[in-house]
Amino acid sequence: MNFLKTNNFTLSILLFISGVLLTYAQYETKLTVNLNHVKKELDIKQEFVYYNNSNYSLGQLYFNDWAHAYSNKNTGLAKRFAQEFRKSLHLAKESERGTTTIISAVDSDYQGLQWERTSSDDLIRVRLNKPLAPKASTKLFITYTVKLPPNKFTSYGYDNRGNYYLKDWYLTPAVYDGKWHLYSNKNLEDLYTNSTKTVIEFNYSDSLFIESNLKKEILKKYAIGQSVRLIGENQKSAEIILQSYSTFTTHITPNMKVVTDISAPRYDPIQQGISISKITDFIYRNLGEYPHDKLLVSQMDYNKDPLYGLNQLPSFIRPYDQQFQFEMKFLKTALSSILRETMYLDPRKEQWLNSAIANYLMIEFVEENYPDQKLLGNLSKIWGIRSFNLAKMGFNEQYPFLYNLTARKNLDQALSTPNDSLIKFNQKIANKYKAGLGLAYLADYIGKDKVDESIKTFFKYYKLNQVKILDFESILKRSTDKDINWFFRDYVSTDRKIDFKIKKVNKSEDSLRVTIKNKEGTNVPISMFGLKKDSVISKYWFKDIKTLETFTIPNHEEDKLVLNYDQKIPEFNQRDNWKSLKGFLSSNKKLHFTFFKDSENPYYNQVFYVPVLNFNIYDGWAPGMRLYNKTLLERPFVYDFAPSYSFREKAFVGYGKVSYRKYLSKSGLYVANYALNGSTSHFNVNSRYSSVTPSLSFGWRPDDLISNKREFLSFRYVNIFRNFDESLQDTANDSENPDYSIFNARYINRDNGILDYNSWFLDFQLAGNFSKLSFEYEYRKLFQNNRQFNLRFFAGKFLSNKTNSDFFSFALDRPTDYLFDYGYLGRSEDSGIYSQQIIIAEGGFKSFLDERYRFSDNWLATVNTSFNLWRWIELYGDAGLVKNNGFKEKFVYDSGVRLNLVTDYFELYFPLYSNNGWEVSQPNYGEKIRFIITVSPKTLTGLFTRKWF
């Protein structure tokens, strides 16, 4: 029998008592604040009453001072930005840095208090003059100034139009529950503080309008300013928005008062009000009564946590109807604000529960009001797009899709992972979606009414109280007779993937024996649907499938069995979820050809095709067709073939590759790649090369997935086959013509940081007539004054060398690329614009020196350096030693100006002085200029995706 119905009174009493125990003594703070509009500073006098609710005496107190997180480049905020490849705070001027300056701190006897900053800089330790006994209180008076930062860092602070957005801007108490919870500001929207009765007397310019999440009670006008009193009962902190003109409107609905500046220019204001009323009614029915005077729903809060995906497109191509777009935008922001203001979970360690409730309700809102809404919106109706599987996906199907975006990359993290240990994509999107899906999964298993009632009960009795995940777990378990330990044990607390497969089906006249395999070993329930003519005629739940289990179900003449047909379960791989009952041949998936890339369709073997156009000066423009199976989600086995036709050579060229990627663990040795690559192209006029390369590689990464550190060990066997034009035969030495094979092993260690970049590798090559070893180290440092220093060191040595040409030699300025690794536009050119393309490899020199020193058949050691003078203008210098057999080593050098427009992607080098003398004064200087250009789309997109993954 349902516990919530039969024992509701007992549960209510227990919850009420626990709530009283948690809130019998409330913190109190009073602030008098003066905004200095000229200096962008807040002058604050704060009176604080601290209640020691613990059973221990306290000799010191901690306060969050998150406004000070902008003060220097070593704070948690600055370090978090660097991890996300954002250097704005690192390079900020002193005038732009936000700081808190403590003027005085005294106790109730007006005796001075010692205080100090912790190592994180944005937390303050105050030492009490006498210990604070359990259940006692003390009063503190703190006077300080907060210098506000510009809003270019986190959207908080001031903008260039004279507006202010203040959040986490004054001192708040850190939480103590037997131990201190001390969290730095890392731009994660997760300030952890106790609920406090707050009264703020805020004085500001008469040219500004004010809005806040607190209640506005008194407004006074002065000759040159105005004052407002803000009052918050049981609220954690005050948000204040000051604008030169007011953009907020107030909506009085039957269930709550809403103040918002979220709007839709092409959606009628009256209809907006109707939508807001509909949303507040939905929230009231599914959560309960909002306990505060008003709900602030701001555009700024939405911008910090928007509807990712298509809603990020420019407004003129957004595919959703205005009403749907406005309501989803408002609903998402309102739910986040309500849960943040009322549910006092530890937001850094237990943030997933608020995300679960918010996203579960968003899923419910769409199912209730927009059941036919497509993910691509109106784009799904356009010819050429509507045939894509992505266009057929419902709006709510984005939740498992975007979760799997990181799961397939082996970057998924447990919901219980602390907020500051999540990679950005998980923190912003994937974990929030997985959390919402989890409640939808649970609702499908135990009954939607039970989960809905549990959420309302949890909100009713625990809002405005310090609460734990165990409280919600207890309510859920009381709502059902089914065992749901798996949800908190496996789904929430681990990153283990869910993946099932129908192994086989034995069919009889009145029953079906279905064998289901648990591929990942995650012991959670799985749903199975019976379909007949694509209509669902049966549904079953199976549990406790540890490896392989067989179940008997009635035969209703289904023609297809499908696991997780409604996709309520965030399953890792759905390509093997179905089994046809029409015979062996009917189980074979049909081929489905699709232009460009698409989402997975588990019922077809998908082949994607897209035209390609390649270029080098020998083949000219080579159009072709690329055929591949890689979907929008990563998959283990990938093939990719791109046959092209060279009109200049009148021959087929192109490449083909097959690879299999196996993820081994989350950290340490985490991945193995097996691949077979082949390509063919022309490297000179009427001269073709073909390569066949089997390879094996392994990757290591640290436990901290946010870290950019990686290690790789690769082995490959490169087989090159060449055909020369008759006129070029004398340029190729017999020992190297036409074919050769090289075994190559390489170890790479890289820390790809935006402020500090470190990378080194050790490379070994073994062929029939030579063996060689090389080492490269590269370091980049970005200083606070925006100066960047680059250092690269290379050393290479032949262990044996029986060659009699420089084809396999170390190169000083332009490697011959006998492994065909580099993207040369004209690899055999020794004059003309294409010969000026440079690949920074081996010697890394930019000047063309004497032919005697451009190659080394013994050993080579060089250093390449550069530093910037202004923005992307740099000076570079290279120096090294070249040793050839039979000759004494030669010291070589060059220098010049580097235009570092996009590092490693587009650069220009202008030589100045070298072994050749002053190069700028020599003839044909234009032929000495070198350039780097990268046109690979995959390489370029890495610039934008690196901050997310």
Side-chain angles (χ1 to χ4, degrees):
M1 186 175 295
N2 192 320
F3 178 89
L4 291 176
K5 292 181 180 179
T6 59
N7 297 289
N8 194 53
F9 177 75
T10 304
L11 177 62
S12 300
I13 294 297
L14 291 172
L15 294 175
F16 175 76
I17 292 173
S18 65
V20 170
L21 291 175
L22 284 169
T23 60
Y24 78 96
Q26 186 185 24
Y27 298 92
E28 299 177 16
T29 187
K30 295 180 181 179
L31 297 95
T32 301
V33 183
N34 294 297
L35 170 63
N36 188 321
H37 196 40
V38 176
K39 294 184 177 180
K40 312 298 184 191
E41 292 181 351
L42 300 172
D43 297 319
I44 302 174
K45 294 180 179 178
Q46 184 171 2
E47 174 186 325
F48 196 86
V49 179
Y50 190 97
Y51 291 90
N52 182 4
N53 294 333
S54 74
N55 297 319
Y56 305 95
S57 293
L58 298 177
Q60 56 190 15
L61 306 178
Y62 287 87
F63 290 87
N64 303 299
D65 182 17
W66 279 21
H68 199 68
Y70 305 86
S71 62
N72 62 71
K73 64 179 182 179
N74 297 313
T75 64
L77 183 64
K79 292 175 181 177
R80 181 76 181 190
F81 278 8
Q83 290 172 333
E84 296 176 356
F85 294 90
R86 296 173 58 186
K87 54 186 179 181
S88 57
L89 189 54
H90 180 85
L91 301 177
K93 302 174 183 176
E94 283 302 316
S95 60
E96 296 177 322
R97 294 194 180 278
T99 58
T100 300
T101 302
I102 306 293
I103 298 171
S104 67
V106 299
D107 60 17
S108 56
D109 296 324
Y110 297 98
Q111 297 295 313
L113 294 168
Q114 291 184 344
W115 64 272
E116 59 187 349
R117 295 194 177 277
T118 65
S119 58
S120 62
D121 280 336
D122 56 3
L123 290 159
I124 291 177
R125 181 192 296 112
V126 177
R127 301 185 185 277
L128 301 177
N129 291 322
K130 55 184 178 181
L132 180 60
K135 314 308 178 188
S137 66
T138 188
K139 185 177 290 188
L140 293 77
F141 300 90
I142 306 177
T143 303
Y144 55 100
T145 298
V146 173
K147 179 184 175 184
L148 299 172
N151 68 342
K152 66 180 183 179
F153 304 125
T154 63
S155 300
Y156 303 140
Y158 63 88
D159 65 21
N160 54 14
R161 294 170 297 186
N163 302 319
Y164 300 83
Y165 187 19
L166 309 181
K167 188 174 184 182
D168 307 331
W169 52 277
Y170 60 91
L171 299 181
T172 57
V175 173
Y176 181 79
D177 57 6
K179 66 175 181 179
W180 288 101
H181 297 268
L182 306 177
Y183 302 145
S184 288
N185 181 0
K186 297 185 178 180
N187 195 32
L188 300 173
E189 305 294 314
D190 59 355
L191 177 71
Y192 192 23
T193 186
N194 288 298
S195 63
T196 307
K197 180 179 180 180
T198 304
V199 179
I200 302 175
E201 297 285 348
F202 199 93
N203 303 295
Y204 58 102
S205 169
D206 60 355
S207 64
L208 296 172
F209 296 87
I210 192 168
E211 197 50 76
S212 174
N213 62 325
L214 303 188
K215 181 180 179 181
K216 288 190 295 186
E217 199 171 71
I218 301 174
L219 184 64
K220 296 179 181 178
K221 292 274 189 179
Y222 303 102
I224 57 173
Q226 53 189 320
S227 176
V228 65
R229 176 176 292 168
L230 304 174
I231 299 176
E233 292 282 352
N234 283 314
Q235 289 183 262
K236 291 188 289 186
S237 60
E239 293 181 47
I240 295 179
I241 301 173
L242 295 153
Q243 299 175 309
S244 54
Y245 61 91
S246 180
T247 60
F248 284 86
T249 57
T250 300
H251 297 262
I252 307 296
T253 73
N255 302 302
M256 69 180 73
K257 181 169 74 172
V258 176
V259 179
T260 183
D261 64 340
I262 290 179
S263 63
R266 295 195 297 271
Y267 187 41
D268 182 76
I270 296 177
Q271 294 300 316
Q272 290 183 35
I274 294 173
S275 289
I276 289 174
S277 184
K278 180 174 77 172
I279 291 169
T280 56
D281 176 68
F282 173 82
I283 292 173
Y284 178 77
R285 286 187 286 110
N286 288 275
L287 270 184
E289 183 178 357
Y290 184 62
H292 298 309
D293 173 66
K294 63 183 176 183
L295 175 66
L296 180 67
V297 184
S298 70
Q299 179 69 38
M300 188 67 72
D301 278 343
Y302 172 77
N303 292 342
K304 295 289 289 184
D305 187 19
L307 286 165
Y308 288 97
L310 291 174
N311 235 44
Q312 302 308 108
L313 296 173
S315 58
F316 64 90
I317 57 172
R318 286 183 184 165
Y320 302 120
D321 293 337
Q322 289 295 307
Q323 179 178 348
F324 174 77
Q325 185 170 299
F326 173 80
E327 290 181 359
M328 293 304 296
K329 184 176 179 179
F330 187 90
L331 174 66
K332 180 180 179 68
T333 311
L335 285 171
S336 296
S337 297
I338 289 172
L339 293 167
R340 183 177 64 246
E341 292 276 358
T342 58
M343 304 308 298
Y344 296 164
L345 293 156
D346 182 334
R348 183 146 297 181
K349 295 182 179 179
E350 299 176 324
Q351 78 287 349
W352 71 266
L353 183 52
N354 279 351
S355 297
I357 294 172
N359 284 281
Y360 173 76
L361 293 180
M362 289 184 66
I363 293 170
E364 172 63 20
F365 183 83
V366 172
E367 290 181 350
E368 183 179 303
N369 296 280
Y370 300 95
D372 299 322
Q373 178 67 47
K374 297 298 183 183
L375 177 58
L376 297 188
N378 296 327
L379 295 178
S380 62
K381 302 175 184 177
I382 298 176
W383 182 88
I385 296 179
R386 63 190 180 201
S387 61
F388 282 84
N389 191 59
L390 189 66
K392 299 172 185 177
M393 290 172 59
F395 186 82
N396 282 342
E397 291 182 65
Q398 68 176 302
Y399 292 91
F401 178 78
L402 290 174
Y403 156 69
N404 267 314
L405 203 62
T406 51
R408 294 285 187 89
K409 293 176 180 288
N410 197 33
L411 288 171
D412 55 314
Q413 294 169 278
L415 294 181
S416 56
T417 304
N419 218 16
D420 60 345
S421 296
L422 294 172
I423 64 171
K424 185 176 181 180
F425 191 87
N426 288 338
Q427 190 265 328
K428 290 287 188 181
I429 304 175
N431 273 38
K432 293 182 177 181
Y433 284 11
K434 183 187 177 184
L437 276 172
L439 287 185
Y441 178 11
L442 195 62
D444 198 34
Y445 179 61
I446 67 174
K448 183 177 179 302
D449 58 327
K450 294 180 174 60
V451 171
D452 291 349
E453 193 64 32
S454 295
I455 291 173
K456 287 189 283 188
T457 301
F458 180 65
F459 187 79
K460 179 178 180 180
Y461 292 106
Y462 281 100
K463 62 188 174 187
L464 305 184
N465 294 311
Q466 294 294 338
V467 62
K468 299 292 184 183
I469 297 294
L470 285 173
D471 300 318
F472 182 66
E473 181 178 350
S474 177
I475 293 172
L476 271 176
K477 287 182 175 178
R478 287 186 174 95
S479 73
T480 180
D481 295 330
K482 293 184 178 180
D483 178 13
I484 59 171
N485 282 319
W486 58 268
F487 180 75
F488 295 93
R489 181 190 62 230
D490 296 295
Y491 189 89
V492 170
S493 300
T494 75
D495 57 11
R496 298 182 64 183
K497 298 170 180 62
I498 300 172
D499 197 6
F500 291 87
K501 173 183 180 179
I502 299 179
K503 186 73 174 177
K504 64 179 179 179
V505 178
N506 294 322
K507 186 177 180 181
S508 64
E509 186 175 341
D510 60 349
S511 65
L512 300 172
R513 286 178 55 80
V514 183
T515 301
I516 299 176
K517 181 180 181 180
N518 187 343
K519 295 165 64 178
E520 293 289 335
T522 308
N523 192 4
V524 298
I526 185 70
S527 61
M528 187 178 76
F529 294 77
L531 274 65
K532 187 173 184 179
K533 297 181 180 179
D534 293 328
S535 296
V536 176
I537 62 171
S538 60
K539 179 182 178 181
Y540 307 92
W541 279 97
F542 303 115
K543 62 178 184 176
D544 295 325
I545 307 173
K546 295 181 180 179
T547 52
L548 203 68
E549 295 290 341
T550 300
F551 304 91
T552 301
I553 60 173
N555 186 348
H556 295 300
E557 298 185 355
E558 295 94 340
D559 52 37
K560 192 180 296 181
L561 296 178
V562 185
L563 298 176
N564 191 23
Y565 179 72
D566 57 0
Q567 297 188 37
K568 290 289 180 68
I569 305 170
E571 201 177 359
F572 180 69
N573 173 26
Q574 296 186 33
R575 295 189 300 272
D576 52 9
N577 273 19
W578 69 287
K579 181 72 71 172
S580 174
L581 304 180
K582 290 184 176 180
F584 176 74
L585 293 178
S586 64
S587 295
N588 295 329
K589 297 180 183 179
K590 298 178 181 178
L591 284 177
H592 188 266
F593 288 87
T594 304
F595 177 73
F596 201 59
K597 190 179 289 188
D598 196 4
S599 60
E600 282 185 354
N601 187 330
Y603 307 117
Y604 291 93
N605 285 315
Q606 294 167 287
V607 180
F608 304 106
Y609 63 93
V610 62
V612 293
L613 186 63
N614 298 309
F615 174 81
N616 67 55
I617 63 171
Y618 314 113
D619 289 315
W621 292 104
M625 186 64 68
R626 180 184 173 206
L627 302 170
Y628 59 101
N629 73 329
K630 186 177 181 180
T631 61
L632 293 172
L633 297 178
E634 188 175 299
R635 58 196 311 173
F637 176 74
V638 173
Y639 60 80
D640 191 347
F641 299 96
S644 303
Y645 186 76
S646 168
F647 284 99
R648 179 169 294 179
E649 288 287 344
K650 296 181 174 55
F652 284 99
V653 293
Y655 70 85
K657 56 185 176 182
V658 292
S659 64
Y660 179 77
R661 176 172 295 176
K662 174 66 174 177
Y663 287 113
L664 306 171
S665 66
K666 192 64 66 178
S667 59
L669 177 58
Y670 77 100
V671 67
N673 285 287
Y674 311 85
L676 178 63
N677 295 355
S679 65
T680 182
S681 184
H682 290 86
F683 64 92
N684 211 323
V685 177
N686 198 28
S687 300
R688 175 191 291 271
Y689 84 89
S690 299
S691 69
V692 177
T693 306
S695 64
L696 169 64
S697 64
F698 303 95
W700 287 263
R701 68 184 178 202
D703 293 334
D704 178 13
L705 298 189
I706 297 177
S707 171
N708 294 307
K709 294 180 180 179
R710 297 291 185 271
E711 298 173 72
F712 300 97
L713 178 63
S714 63
F715 305 93
R716 59 177 177 164
Y717 191 62
V718 183
N719 301 276
I720 303 296
F721 310 94
R722 295 183 297 166
N723 294 307
F724 286 85
D725 183 80
E726 291 182 1
S727 63
L728 301 174
Q729 284 291 346
D730 57 351
T731 66
N733 185 275
D734 290 340
S735 64
E736 291 126 26
N737 177 49
D739 308 329
Y740 53 88
S741 297
I742 298 174
F743 170 76
N744 179 213
R746 174 175 288 196
Y747 171 78
I748 301 174
N749 188 303
R750 181 172 64 234
D751 187 357
N752 183 25
I754 194 171
L755 305 180
D756 293 279
Y757 176 94
N758 279 281
S759 175
W760 63 272
F761 71 74
L762 189 64
D763 186 273
F764 172 72
Q765 296 178 20
L766 175 65
N769 52 1
F770 75 88
S771 61
K772 62 199 298 190
L773 189 67
S774 59
F775 171 82
E776 178 184 295
Y777 172 75
E778 187 172 2
Y779 174 72
R780 300 174 190 165
K781 174 70 175 179
L782 181 65
F783 295 96
Q784 190 170 330
N785 60 2
N786 205 17
R787 293 276 188 259
Q788 179 166 301
F789 174 72
N790 303 299
L791 171 69
R792 178 179 174 273
F793 171 75
F794 175 83
K797 176 74 172 74
F798 276 93
L799 304 179
S800 63
N801 189 358
K802 300 177 183 178
T803 65
N804 49 20
S805 78
D806 282 324
F807 185 65
F808 297 110
S809 296
F810 295 112
L812 188 66
D813 64 82
R814 184 174 164 88
T816 57
D817 190 26
Y818 51 85
L819 294 176
F820 293 89
D821 286 336
Y822 305 135
Y824 278 124
L825 300 176
R827 64 178 61 250
S828 298
E829 299 303 291
D830 54 14
S831 63
I833 185 65
Y834 295 106
S835 69
Q836 295 172 233
Q837 181 185 4
I838 185 173
I839 305 291
I840 303 299
E842 299 185 7
F845 268 54
K846 289 77 185 179
S847 293
F848 296 107
L849 301 185
D850 190 292
E851 290 290 337
R852 292 173 296 173
Y853 317 125
R854 292 185 65 185
F855 295 96
S856 167
D857 60 7
N858 193 326
W859 60 264
L860 172 72
T862 61
V863 175
N864 316 119
T865 63
S866 67
F867 65 92
N868 63 324
L869 299 175
W870 178 79
R871 293 189 178 179
W872 35 265
I873 300 177
E874 302 180 4
L875 289 180
Y876 73 81
D878 306 316
L881 292 171
V882 180
K883 177 69 170 71
N884 280 292
N885 291 321
F887 296 91
K888 187 178 180 181
E889 62 269 12
K890 172 69 176 179
F891 176 70
V892 289
Y893 60 91
D894 71 3
S895 61
V897 176
R898 173 192 188 191
L899 301 187
N900 186 7
L901 302 175
V902 183
T903 303
D904 297 333
Y905 298 91
F906 184 46
E907 305 176 18
L908 293 173
Y909 292 87
F910 297 86
L912 294 179
Y913 190 76
S914 69
N915 291 81
N916 298 328
W918 285 102
E919 302 204 31
V920 291
S921 62
Q922 297 172 3
N924 303 318
Y925 180 74
E927 297 178 3
K928 300 175 182 292
I929 298 171
R930 308 295 296 274
F931 66 90
I932 289 175
I933 186 168
T934 299
V935 295
S936 167
K938 181 179 179 181
T939 304
L940 292 173
T941 54
L943 286 172
F944 305 100
T945 58
R946 62 184 182 176
K947 67 179 182 180
W948 288 96
F949 301 102

